[in-house]
Amino acid sequence: MQTFKASLLAAMAGVATLGATALPITPAVAQSEQRVPIDVWSLRSVVNSVSVSPDGKHLLVHKVESREGEYVMEIYKTDDMSKPLRRLNADPMEIFTAGWVSDRHIFGNAWKVVRKSVKRPEEDIRSYKSLFYDLETNKFSEVDGNFGLESTLPNEPNHILVSAGNAVADPTGVDPFAAVRPRAYYKVNLRSGSRSLMLKGSENFRSAIFDGDGNPFMSQRIEQGSNENKTFFRQIGDGSWGSPAAGLTYDLDEHENLYRFLSGFVGQAIRSTEDPNMAYLIWNADGDDKAALWEYDIANGRFVKKLFEAPDADITAIQTHSIPGNNKLVAVRYPGAKPQRHWFDEEEKALYEALEAQIPNAHYVRITSRSRDGNTMVVNNIGPRDPGSFWLVKDGQMAKLGSRNPLIAPEQLSEVKYIRYKARDGLEIPAYVTVPKGEGPFPLVVQHNGGPHVNGMVLYDEWGQMLANAGYMVLAPQNRISTGWGKKHFDAGYGEHGLAMQDDKDDGVKYLIDQGLVDPDRVAFMGWSYGGQAALYALTRANGLYQCSIAGAAVADAEKQYKGRRGVNSPTALDDWSQRRGMIGVNPIDKVANADIPLLMIHPDDDRRVMYYHMEDFKKAMEKAGKTNAQYLTLEGADHFSTTHMFKHQQAINAKILDFLENDCGPGGL
């Protein structure tokens, strides 16, 4: 391993151009003009993912080849990249995830639209299958259901560990009850296709974390009656969970504990590879504002020591070694100007630094797939000037494989600056500003998407870049309640939907105006999901800051949303959280009388997370109030999540947004 590392670093130090083995998957040269056409912004990811087989002999490329096309899989030999060995699809279904799970097997998920409409919350118009492909037999096998890959079980090459769950990624984080739904875990024999139940979630232990060898390692449960959330560990070889882990219990009837429950990262843990009785755990101990990485003694139920805490952000992820089967802790990640890493492993750190030095416009570099011997790897980069590129490193040589959007040149993309400003009550707000080319002051679009509590660190934001390319500055504030910035920042947003949370956005606008960067008479608001709800708040606020508002997939009637989704036995804090998203406080549909600026509403008609009635009801309320300065766009056949949006949906959204801003946003357009 040390020999390879030295040769890799030496070879890459001289690599300034791409090798001759780059895959022939770039559909066209980048546009030469500075203004990028709408059709280019509207493409689905051209190359969606790339992975290398554990033996390093084959490469899998998951890609789409035309604007209206579906994803296909291509398999290449890594020693002959001139043409694909196999080209596969799953017609009449579409493969939307795929990756190597053994030297000869690929695991993925496919979907197919089977329903015409959504009748109730979380009802999907798609059906799902999990697919297994055998390279040696050139055959598919399948199983009904939306299974997620938990572990490739490197020490059991003919098996993988999967879980029954939601196959469509949910980046919005707006469903707080998803965390309490039980999941089942199965070991699948890749050769026979048989599966055996490893662990079944219940109301007591709803889900689990497994170690690298597939052993159940950690679980949580909410105690009936007390609503205490307790953490349990399991020693290797044990058939049941032990006693509640000391120091890891909190009461879900108290809203001060929602930060831990809803963050998505507090409670993440891995088992130590050096001592199976020890764990590495992300936690904010009592009295701590920021989530830190702790060493925790499983056997004796105690915190051993705090290993790292970032000064201005939470630790949000644990990073293990890039070689499959090596689950050694190598780093933790936390938000900042870009994803920051604190390293515990000097060899992995040196490898990443070598990759970052060679990849153009390196921002967030990840080794996403690597062979067992370490000599072959797929590296992904994403950032403000890179929509997402894929690189093959083999025997110390590097070649670009493709891009999520190869039609956009880096010079057509804009810089994203990380700032922190003070809200009116003194709370410091992190934010990301996409800066258009030219000289200010610029017209400004405030953009807020999803959550509202999810971390919104900007890597590559297509809407932000599209708006900047059209000449608009874009502000993405991490308003109070956003996670990743500490408990105080999160708790300050409790019950402040449409109130202090909205003040944070307005104060960011005023900050940029005071800096001389923004024209105060040319400001718009735009958002999706909760950001759409925030856009409706901006529509009805009597502050004179905004010339227009764009609300996508917006929760327009928060009371109706709450009543249609309320959990029967939800802990008090979770139920209060749901009510305070607008039922208690500001409900947008009740404020239509104050809507005095132009509005554009966009909504998918098959939205299962924020159902279509929200736009229908809000439109009726606006018409009843005599408000005619509004436009409405329905996305036919689209769901809430961008992963379900085809080219035609994205083209319709992007064209309408740019046209509305230019022609209908206030007097004379923005």
Side-chain angles (χ1 to χ4, degrees):
M1 181 63 190
Q2 188 62 42
T3 302
F4 163 69
K5 190 67 60 66
S7 64
L8 173 66
L9 298 180
M12 290 182 63
V15 175
T17 59
L18 301 180
T21 57
L23 285 176
I25 53 179
T26 301
V29 297
Q31 303 290 325
S32 59
E33 66 272 13
Q34 287 300 307
R35 187 69 181 261
V36 178
I38 288 172
D39 284 5
V40 173
W41 295 117
S42 306
L43 294 174
R44 301 175 79 188
S45 292
V46 175
V47 179
N48 192 50
S49 65
V50 183
S51 63
V52 64
S53 58
D55 60 9
K57 295 180 179 180
H58 295 94
L59 200 73
L60 170 65
V61 181
H62 186 233
K63 66 173 188 173
V64 67
E65 295 180 325
S66 65
R67 296 187 310 182
E68 288 84 11
E70 294 190 337
Y71 282 109
V72 297
M73 298 192 307
E74 287 187 345
I75 300 172
Y76 293 79
K77 291 184 177 180
T78 54
D79 59 3
D80 179 12
M81 306 284 285
S82 61
K83 60 181 180 179
L85 174 68
R86 301 270 168 78
R87 180 181 171 85
L88 309 161
N89 62 30
D91 190 61
M93 303 190 80
E94 181 188 27
I95 300 170
F96 66 94
T97 65
W100 291 101
V101 291
S102 76
D103 293 345
R104 59 185 272 191
H105 293 99
I106 292 168
F107 170 77
N109 288 293
W111 60 21
K112 177 184 178 183
V113 175
V114 294
R115 299 179 185 86
K116 292 183 178 180
S117 62
V118 172
K119 302 298 184 185
R120 58 182 181 273
E122 302 306 318
E123 180 183 68
D124 203 332
I125 62 170
R126 293 165 177 81
S127 66
Y128 295 85
K129 290 183 184 291
S130 291
L131 303 175
F132 303 88
Y133 173 75
D134 188 328
L135 181 63
E136 290 189 11
T137 63
N138 192 25
K139 291 182 179 179
F140 277 102
S141 57
E142 61 185 42
V143 57
D144 289 334
N146 49 352
F147 292 91
L149 180 65
E150 295 291 326
S151 174
T152 59
L153 301 177
N155 295 325
E156 298 183 61
N158 294 323
H159 294 85
I160 60 173
L161 183 67
V162 301
S163 62
N166 186 3
V168 180
D170 175 11
T172 63
V174 296
D175 182 8
F177 302 107
V180 300
R181 296 190 180 110
R183 305 181 73 182
Y185 301 87
Y186 301 89
K187 182 181 286 189
V188 177
N189 186 310
L190 293 169
R191 296 197 174 184
S192 69
S194 63
R195 59 177 175 167
S196 57
L197 181 66
M198 297 295 293
L199 190 68
K200 186 175 182 180
S202 65
E203 291 302 318
N204 286 330
F205 296 100
R206 55 193 179 273
S207 61
I209 295 174
F210 291 75
D211 65 19
D213 294 321
N215 300 303
F217 162 57
M218 180 179 171
S219 185
Q220 294 181 333
R221 79 178 183 202
I222 300 174
E223 296 288 356
Q224 300 297 315
S226 69
N227 286 328
E228 289 182 318
N229 192 81
K230 296 182 178 180
T231 297
F232 297 79
F233 291 100
R234 185 181 292 193
Q235 301 281 36
I236 294 175
D238 286 354
S240 60
W241 301 104
S243 301
L248 304 181
T249 294
Y250 54 87
D251 187 353
L252 270 176
D253 282 338
E254 300 294 334
H255 80 265
E256 291 84 358
N257 292 315
L258 286 172
Y259 161 76
R260 287 172 173 164
F261 191 79
L262 294 174
S263 69
F265 50 81
V266 176
Q268 280 189 29
I270 62 169
R271 194 192 297 274
S272 168
T273 55
E274 293 84 12
D275 183 352
N277 293 317
M278 305 296 288
Y280 299 115
L281 171 74
I282 297 176
W283 197 259
N284 75 308
D286 292 340
D288 286 354
D289 180 53
K290 305 293 191 300
L293 183 72
W294 289 84
E295 185 177 28
Y296 188 86
D297 184 340
I298 299 172
N300 296 299
R302 64 186 183 92
F303 289 95
V304 178
K305 61 181 176 180
K306 185 185 293 186
L307 298 177
F308 180 73
E309 180 179 22
D312 298 318
D314 293 307
I315 303 303
T316 58
I318 298 172
Q319 183 171 322
T320 56
H321 203 282
S322 56
I323 292 180
N326 185 345
N327 295 292
K328 177 184 177 183
L329 168 71
V330 298
V332 290
R333 297 194 297 271
Y334 56 97
K338 61 181 181 179
Q340 306 291 326
R341 289 183 175 96
H342 176 81
W343 291 98
F344 297 99
D345 185 281
E346 290 301 318
E347 283 197 355
E348 283 282 287
K349 179 182 179 183
L351 174 57
Y352 268 79
E353 289 176 345
L355 294 168
E356 290 166 352
Q358 292 301 317
I359 294 176
N361 303 298
H363 187 80
Y364 180 38
V365 172
R366 296 177 299 150
I367 300 171
T368 56
S369 179
R370 194 172 180 184
S371 60
R372 280 189 300 270
D373 62 9
N375 293 333
T376 306
M377 67 185 78
V378 174
V379 182
N380 173 246
N381 177 56
I382 188 170
R385 286 197 165 93
D386 185 348
S389 57
F390 297 90
W391 304 78
L392 175 65
V393 178
K394 180 175 172 59
D395 299 327
Q397 299 295 315
M398 182 166 66
K400 187 174 182 179
L401 299 171
S403 171
R404 291 187 182 274
N405 195 330
L407 298 184
I408 300 178
E411 58 268 20
Q412 294 174 302
L413 297 171
S414 296
E415 182 180 5
V416 175
K417 291 186 177 294
Y418 172 61
I419 65 171
R420 300 178 79 97
Y421 62 87
K422 290 288 183 70
R424 64 193 65 181
D425 64 354
L427 185 68
E428 194 171 63
I429 307 298
Y432 298 89
V433 180
T434 306
V435 184
K437 295 173 174 60
E439 298 294 327
F442 300 102
L444 175 71
V445 177
V446 179
Q447 183 183 346
H448 193 277
N449 296 326
H453 59 289
V454 295
N455 182 269
M457 181 172 54
V458 173
L459 297 173
Y460 173 79
D461 181 73
E462 198 150 62
W463 276 342
Q465 290 290 343
M466 180 185 75
L467 292 169
N469 185 253
Y472 305 106
M473 179 173 276
V474 181
L475 170 67
Q478 309 301 292
N479 53 255
R480 65 193 68 207
I481 228 167
S482 301
T483 54
W485 311 105
K487 184 176 184 296
K488 176 183 175 183
H489 190 87
F490 177 89
D491 287 347
Y494 183 73
E496 295 294 338
H497 301 72
L499 301 170
M501 285 168 56
Q502 204 71 18
D503 292 341
D504 295 340
K505 302 174 182 69
D506 296 352
D507 293 342
V509 173
K510 294 173 183 176
Y511 172 82
L512 294 177
I513 291 172
D514 291 343
Q515 297 294 309
L517 298 172
V518 166
D519 183 340
D521 296 320
R522 302 174 69 195
V523 182
F525 198 106
M526 169 179 151
W528 188 268
S529 193
Y530 175 77
Q533 182 174 342
L536 296 181
Y537 291 145
L539 172 76
T540 58
R541 278 200 145 194
N543 57 16
L545 275 180
Y546 305 103
Q547 277 62 60
C548 69
S549 195
I550 302 173
V555 178
D557 189 340
E559 181 175 357
K560 189 173 180 179
Q561 173 90 348
Y562 166 76
K563 290 179 177 178
R565 301 175 64 92
R566 183 183 183 186
V568 178
N569 298 312
S570 298
T572 300
L574 279 178
D575 190 60
D576 286 350
W577 160 268
S578 297
Q579 291 191 56
R580 281 167 172 77
R581 290 168 61 89
M583 181 178 169
I584 297 175
V586 182
N587 190 2
I589 202 167
D590 296 334
K591 300 292 183 179
V592 293
N594 300 332
D596 294 324
I597 58 174
L599 167 68
L600 169 63
M601 287 192 82
I602 304 170
H603 214 110
D605 65 353
D606 288 326
D607 194 327
R608 58 193 163 106
R609 181 56 49 84
V610 182
M611 294 181 67
Y612 185 62
Y613 69 74
H614 284 279
M615 189 170 83
E616 293 180 307
D617 291 355
F618 198 82
K619 180 181 179 182
K620 291 176 183 177
M622 289 279 284
E623 291 172 346
K624 184 177 180 180
K627 304 295 180 178
T628 59
N629 201 8
Q631 301 177 37
Y632 305 91
L633 173 64
T634 296
L635 301 176
E636 296 182 0
D639 198 351
H640 189 80
F641 308 106
S642 61
T643 51
T644 70
H645 295 173
M646 302 296 107
F647 171 80
K648 65 178 182 179
H649 300 132
Q650 298 183 137
Q651 184 189 47
I653 294 171
N654 294 337
K656 190 62 178 178
I657 286 172
L658 291 178
D659 177 73
F660 179 78
L661 290 173
E662 183 177 355
N663 297 305
D664 301 305
C665 183
L670 198 64

